[in-house]
Amino acid sequence: MKTYKLLLLPGDGIGPEIIGEIEKLVRFYREAGIADFATEKALIGGASYDAYGAPLTGKTLKLARDADAVLLVAVGGPKWAGVPFDKRPEAGLLGLRKALGLFANLRPAICYPALADASSLKPELVQGLDMLIVRELIGGVYFGEPKEIVTLENGEKRAVDTQLYTTHEIERIARVAFELARKRAKRVTSAEKHNAMKTGVLWKEVVTRVGADYPDIELNHIFVDNCGMQIVRRPKQFDVIVTDNLFGDILSDVAAMTTGSLGILPSASLGETDPATGKANAMYEPVHGSAPDITGKGIANPIATLSSLSMAFRYSFDLPEESDRLEKAIAGALAKGLRTADIAKPGEATVNTSQMGDAIIAALKESLA
Ligand code: NAD
């Protein structure tokens, strides 16, 4: 049985409640003789700020670098609203992504059959939906310099963020999108705004050039505002969407709602493969945040985090069959009618975080029997 080094970062809010379900799952895999995990747990975000005065410490960063994969739940919350900008919980997360070189953010929007009627769209528009947004994660306007608020001579303030992309940054994210499309429906849609932004002009040019290396993949270009509209109009037209950091942030949240709830959506963030070791840094996270409004109640939906572990099986541990098995177990628990409050219809009976985790493990056991 192979042992994988997995770093658990619960973060803030509902993070510590949800990570308990991952720990249960890890025990299950060990006891079932499927895989073993050498797990470590560390602080990040507000919890790290409270303990060490910094949202990301060298110790957490070293553990993350040493791990085969990192599983993080979420950071942030109103408690840290007043801390200096560079010490905010989100700065810890952005810093970790940057330090690990996690340039490719994969955000699938898959509709579990049992939840088709939980979508804000008509069920027939989302039944069978399987779309993947590939977002550039460590460049663009969230990182470009200058990034500042300055006071002008007349006393007025001026805020500046800088949208910035190089050929290399666009090329490597485009290649990830084309490679993934090869294992899917072989279609890539590149979303940018070349009618208004220079970065959009370069983005389109580079993606087109990279696309020539993938003649088996159909490439389309779309203005990002139209892309947002098309995702809510007819989401099943998309296979892989590749886009920049800011646009990807927005499009993936829009796509999230087509599937019903933030509480079920996973993500993967991947770095470049080191040619010497063959290892790539990778972090897996649910799409949702720390949900301060339900923290401490034990009712958070653990599915997005469990599904993030399933992505780790696929992209970091080379266990695609275990990834499929876990996804099927999640779909099975939902098909049996189990619902946490976020995905329940009004008046429907609900289960708590731990009960949902147990039901998924029970479905896994059934699949092995
Ligand atoms: P959020 O995702 O935390 O919550 C939005 C809504 O969805 C809330 O009503 C919440 O209760 C619900 N929700 C989220 N996850 C859920 C789950 N697993 N089960 C059930 N319900 C769930 O977004 P927000 O309210 O905008 O942000 C709250 C905090 O989280 C902020 O500090 C924000 O900065 C942070 N945040 C962090 C990340 C991250 O760590 N990657 C992402 C988004 C937001």
Side-chain angles (χ1 to χ4, degrees):
M1 188 163 57
K2 200 166 165 188
T3 301
Y4 302 92
K5 280 163 99 177
L6 180 65
L7 175 64
L8 303 177
L9 298 177
D12 306 317
I14 56 175
E17 299 164 44
I18 288 183
I19 218 77
E21 301 312 304
I22 292 289
E23 290 172 320
K24 276 191 210 165
L25 209 57
V26 162
R27 273 198 299 280
F28 161 78
Y29 284 111
R30 183 179 301 134
E31 283 163 14
I34 294 172
D36 200 2
F37 297 91
T39 55
E40 297 259 14
K41 213 167 15 174
L43 299 180
I44 188 166
S48 174
Y49 176 79
D50 288 348
Y52 307 115
L56 174 65
T57 60
K59 183 179 166 223
T60 295
L61 186 54
K62 179 170 184 329
L63 285 169
R65 285 207 169 102
D66 289 347
D68 294 317
V70 179
L71 189 77
L72 177 144
V73 185
V75 299
K79 183 178 176 195
W80 301 281
V83 308
F85 196 76
D86 61 334
K87 293 204 159 52
R88 291 180 57 136
E90 293 76 8
L93 179 55
L94 292 180
L96 184 58
R97 287 174 180 163
K98 188 93 185 170
L100 295 179
L102 304 176
F103 70 94
N105 185 221
L106 279 44
R107 291 179 59 159
I110 296 170
C111 186
Y112 291 105
L115 293 184
D117 60 356
S119 169
S120 42
L121 300 183
K122 296 186 196 96
E124 64 268 25
L125 290 179
V126 294
Q127 192 79 254
L129 174 69
D130 180 2
M131 162 170 66
L132 179 66
I133 297 188
V134 177
R135 165 189 170 196
E136 198 292 324
L137 199 60
I138 54 174
V141 76
Y142 291 165
F143 291 98
E145 295 285 347
K147 184 177 202 63
E148 60 190 11
I149 300 177
V150 290
T151 304
L152 304 176
E153 274 175 16
N154 65 5
E156 200 186 2
K157 286 185 174 174
R158 187 183 65 188
V160 184
D161 293 290
T162 304
Q163 166 81 342
L164 193 153
Y165 273 107
T166 62
T167 308
H168 168 70
E169 288 172 314
I170 302 169
E171 183 167 337
R172 66 181 178 178
I173 192 73
R175 287 205 184 278
V176 169
F178 285 108
E179 291 291 337
L180 289 167
R182 267 201 173 142
K183 296 183 192 144
R184 300 172 44 95
K186 298 192 168 39
R187 281 182 288 120
V188 169
T189 304
S190 170
E192 35 65 16
K193 205 133 170 74
H194 70 263
N195 54 344
M197 299 170 74
K198 289 292 180 193
T199 46
V201 173
L202 185 64
W203 186 278
K204 185 175 181 199
E205 185 187 307
V206 175
V207 173
T208 304
R209 179 165 51 72
V210 173
D213 293 343
Y214 297 85
D216 51 325
I217 308 293
E218 180 190 320
L219 170 64
N220 293 297
H221 301 276
I222 191 169
F223 288 129
V224 70
D225 42 347
N226 184 22
C227 189
M229 192 177 79
Q230 294 298 332
I231 288 174
V232 291
R233 194 175 80 94
R234 215 163 45 83
K236 281 189 272 185
Q237 69 184 283
F238 296 110
D239 177 27
V240 175
I241 296 176
V242 62
T243 191
D244 78 14
N245 199 345
L246 172 65
F247 295 151
D249 197 1
I250 299 166
L251 290 185
S252 50
D253 270 18
V254 175
M257 278 329 287
T258 66
T259 69
S261 167
L262 277 178
I264 59 169
L265 289 170
S267 78
S269 303
L270 311 176
E272 283 183 84
T273 305
D274 179 341
T277 61
K279 178 182 178 292
N281 286 328
M283 181 154 76
Y284 298 87
E285 308 165 55
V287 166
H288 61 73
S290 58
D293 52 336
I294 57 164
T295 295
K297 295 184 178 166
I299 58 168
N301 189 344
I303 289 180
T305 308
L306 297 178
S307 184
S308 300
L309 182 66
S310 139
M311 290 189 87
F313 285 157
R314 189 173 303 281
Y315 297 110
S316 286
F317 304 152
D318 199 20
L319 293 170
E321 62 291 350
E322 287 315 319
S323 177
D324 290 345
R325 194 202 303 274
L326 180 50
E327 282 305 324
K328 276 197 193 111
I330 294 170
L334 292 170
K336 280 192 176 154
L338 276 95
R339 298 285 184 273
T340 43
D342 57 311
I343 51 174
K345 287 190 211 133
E348 207 172 18
T350 59
V351 295
N352 61 27
T353 309
S354 177
Q355 289 166 322
M356 182 59 97
D358 289 345
I360 291 165
I361 291 178
L364 278 172
K365 283 184 179 153
E366 268 172 38
S367 76
L368 289 173

